[in-house]
Amino acid sequence: MDSTARAVDSNLYSCEGGLYIHIAFCRKKCIYCDFYSVGDRKADWHGYIDSLIAELNNKRGQLPHKLRTIYIGGGTPSLIPPDEFKRLSVALRPYLSDVEEFTLEVNPDDVSPALIALWKEAGVNRLSMGIQSFDDRMLAAINRRHSATGALDAYGMCRKAFDNISIDLIYGLPGQTMEMWRRDVEKAISLRPSHISAYSLMYEPGTALTLLRDRGAVEEVEEATEEEMMRFLVDSLRKAGYEHYEISNFALLGCRSIHNSSYWHQVPYLGLGPSAHSYDGRRVRSANVADIKGYIRYWKGEDHAVAVSTEECLSDTELREEYVMTRLRTREGIDMADFRKRFGLKEYNRLLENSRMYLAEGNLILSDGFMSLSEEAIFISDTVILNLA
């Protein structure tokens, strides 16, 4: 990457902070998901939104001075009833003056013209749609509640109102063939979303998917097939004009996710809602406890004995390891001058020494003061990053 491109990218990451709001309700639980959520059948939406607003008001002093991004994720935020979404949007209105990117995660099954209008009115300017696959067999296998046709219809509706839409895809699903994946990628490209996040399926501990695998009910896709899927993804999206700016993320020019990029560049953010995380941009990370009922009781003032958050202060070693792991996921990689300023000459020299073999092999590239993964090393990124970190 040339120095001009890097100068532009550095401006992208100069934001002062973000706000994340977790909506911990789902209508159906995807079998691979390990994010905290519960069923919405008996959801106390009014109490939940009351609690989010109370937490926001209580922690307004912790918000970054300039709030550049808001991200409402989940769970399934598109399940929020219209009246409750209006109440939340009114509470957020005083903070919107500097916000450049306001993202809402949506499930295709929830989309309607009325909700689209509501989201636009609230200031949302970016949607993240969890499509995962355009194959009905794959969608049924992972317990998604939308169909391929439903996803296409929902995307079409949203495209009329939103220029900035990201879609999620997953590869390496049980039973997924290379031909299925080719069709998914080609269909995604034909829609021309501004952003595509594509993830390799992970078998997280405690998920239904992992239990099925351990019982022999499903088989993991072979590693060679999964690598072939990723290679096809990367090559196809590059040819279609998408920038591969992070290992799992691709964007048209100017359409990188500002909020997600903050996580890879140590930008401060405040998280609201049960299980939401926050970071002060320096050393302190905190996490709200994953307990909806306790969360609502606490912010209603009914039970102040409930533990609603935990906090940790990162050591120098943890900060350095996290810096290496997150920066090497990005296209730009590690700013070596910034690394030396943050962690000192000794750690700078240690990083260079640990990198020597990968630089010689061509898996790492040191250019214009940045150390980054080579194009080929993306396929062994976990190994390289862990060894350096």
Side-chain angles (χ1 to χ4, degrees):
M1 177 180 294
D2 62 35
S3 58
T4 302
R6 282 195 170 122
V8 172
D9 290 330
S10 68
N11 290 332
L12 178 65
Y13 304 128
S14 64
C15 61
E16 294 185 33
L19 174 66
Y20 174 78
I21 301 172
H22 189 65
I23 306 300
F25 294 109
C26 284
R27 189 144 295 163
K28 290 177 73 175
K29 186 81 168 180
C30 301
I31 65 171
Y32 55 80
C33 181
D34 69 337
F35 291 123
Y36 175 66
S37 67
V38 301
D40 74 321
R41 191 168 63 87
K42 295 183 179 180
D44 178 4
W45 281 110
H46 194 80
Y48 194 86
I49 299 301
D50 270 349
S51 299
L52 288 175
I53 294 171
E55 186 180 13
L56 173 63
N57 292 335
N58 180 268
K59 295 182 177 179
R60 67 177 64 198
Q62 299 177 36
L63 283 169
H65 176 67
K66 178 183 178 182
L67 187 64
R68 191 176 179 190
T69 64
I70 296 175
Y71 193 107
I72 304 180
T76 313
S78 50
L79 286 174
I80 303 174
D83 288 346
E84 298 302 334
F85 192 89
K86 286 179 184 177
R87 290 206 303 128
L88 179 59
S89 68
V90 168
L92 292 172
R93 195 171 296 156
Y95 305 98
L96 294 182
S97 59
D98 292 322
V99 170
E100 297 176 33
E101 181 185 273
F102 185 168
T103 302
L104 177 74
E105 289 184 356
V106 301
N107 185 295
D109 254 12
D110 303 324
V111 172
S112 70
L115 282 179
I116 290 172
L118 175 66
W119 299 334
K120 287 280 288 186
E121 183 181 356
V124 174
N125 59 15
R126 180 176 185 271
L127 297 181
S128 178
M129 185 174 291
I131 291 178
Q132 317 309 358
S133 175
F134 294 100
D135 189 296
D136 284 337
R137 290 166 293 178
M138 292 294 97
L139 292 171
I142 59 178
N143 207 35
R144 297 293 291 178
R145 57 187 170 94
H146 67 270
S147 64
T149 300
L152 293 172
D153 290 345
Y155 181 86
M157 278 190 281
C158 291
R159 194 64 177 173
K160 293 176 182 178
F162 290 92
D163 295 325
N164 197 353
I165 300 178
S166 176
I167 66 172
D168 288 358
L169 298 175
I170 297 180
Y171 60 94
L173 296 170
Q176 187 179 42
T177 65
M178 190 62 211
E179 183 56 35
M180 289 176 179
W181 178 238
R182 284 194 187 94
R183 289 196 296 267
D184 277 352
V185 174
E186 289 166 358
K187 176 58 71 175
I189 290 172
S190 73
L191 296 177
R192 203 67 178 167
S194 55
H195 188 279
I196 296 175
S197 296
Y199 303 100
S200 169
L201 181 68
M202 300 297 290
Y203 286 77
E204 302 290 355
T207 62
L209 177 65
T210 300
L211 292 174
L212 288 171
R213 181 201 62 186
D214 294 346
R215 293 172 184 166
V218 299
E219 292 185 6
E220 295 187 44
V221 170
E222 292 184 0
E223 187 175 333
T225 301
E226 198 165 295
E227 181 176 323
E228 184 184 0
M229 288 175 169
M230 185 177 183
R231 287 183 184 276
F232 178 78
L233 169 76
V234 172
D235 290 343
S236 299
L237 291 184
R238 182 189 301 110
K239 291 174 183 175
Y242 286 85
E243 175 192 24
H244 190 189
Y245 75 100
E246 195 271 344
I247 287 176
S248 300
N249 288 275
F250 307 77
L252 295 177
L253 184 63
C255 295
R256 293 185 180 191
S257 169
I258 303 173
H259 186 88
N260 288 342
S261 294
S262 70
Y263 298 146
W264 310 317
H265 289 81
Q266 290 72 46
V267 175
Y269 54 89
L270 175 66
L272 306 179
S275 83
H277 289 65
S278 302
Y279 176 53
D280 70 353
R282 296 181 293 275
R283 286 187 181 273
V284 179
R285 291 197 181 280
S286 58
N288 287 349
V289 174
D291 176 4
I292 287 180
K293 292 182 179 179
Y295 176 80
I296 292 175
R297 289 201 310 272
Y298 179 87
W299 290 109
K300 278 186 174 182
E302 296 175 354
D303 188 355
H304 285 291
V306 172
V308 292
S309 65
T310 60
E311 189 175 283
E312 66 171 331
C313 185
L314 301 177
S315 67
D316 289 347
T317 298
E318 289 170 328
L319 286 171
R320 186 182 68 254
E321 290 175 348
E322 182 176 283
Y323 185 97
V324 172
M325 292 175 71
T326 55
R327 295 300 177 96
L328 277 180
R329 289 189 62 88
T330 68
R331 181 182 176 189
E332 291 70 41
I334 298 171
D335 181 334
M336 297 300 286
D338 183 56
F339 182 90
R340 180 171 177 171
K341 181 180 178 180
R342 287 173 183 254
F343 305 111
L345 179 59
K346 179 180 178 181
E347 293 303 334
Y348 174 85
N349 288 333
R350 187 201 301 270
L351 177 61
L352 285 176
E353 180 61 31
N354 290 343
S355 307
R356 191 180 305 278
M357 177 182 70
Y358 295 114
L359 289 166
E361 294 172 345
N363 289 315
L364 284 175
I365 298 171
L366 187 56
S367 174
D368 295 328
F370 285 76
M371 182 186 291
S372 58
L373 292 170
S374 69
E375 189 171 302
E376 188 63 26
I378 291 170
F379 304 102
I380 57 168
S381 58
D382 287 348
T383 299
V384 177
I385 290 172
L386 285 174
N387 286 339
L388 288 188

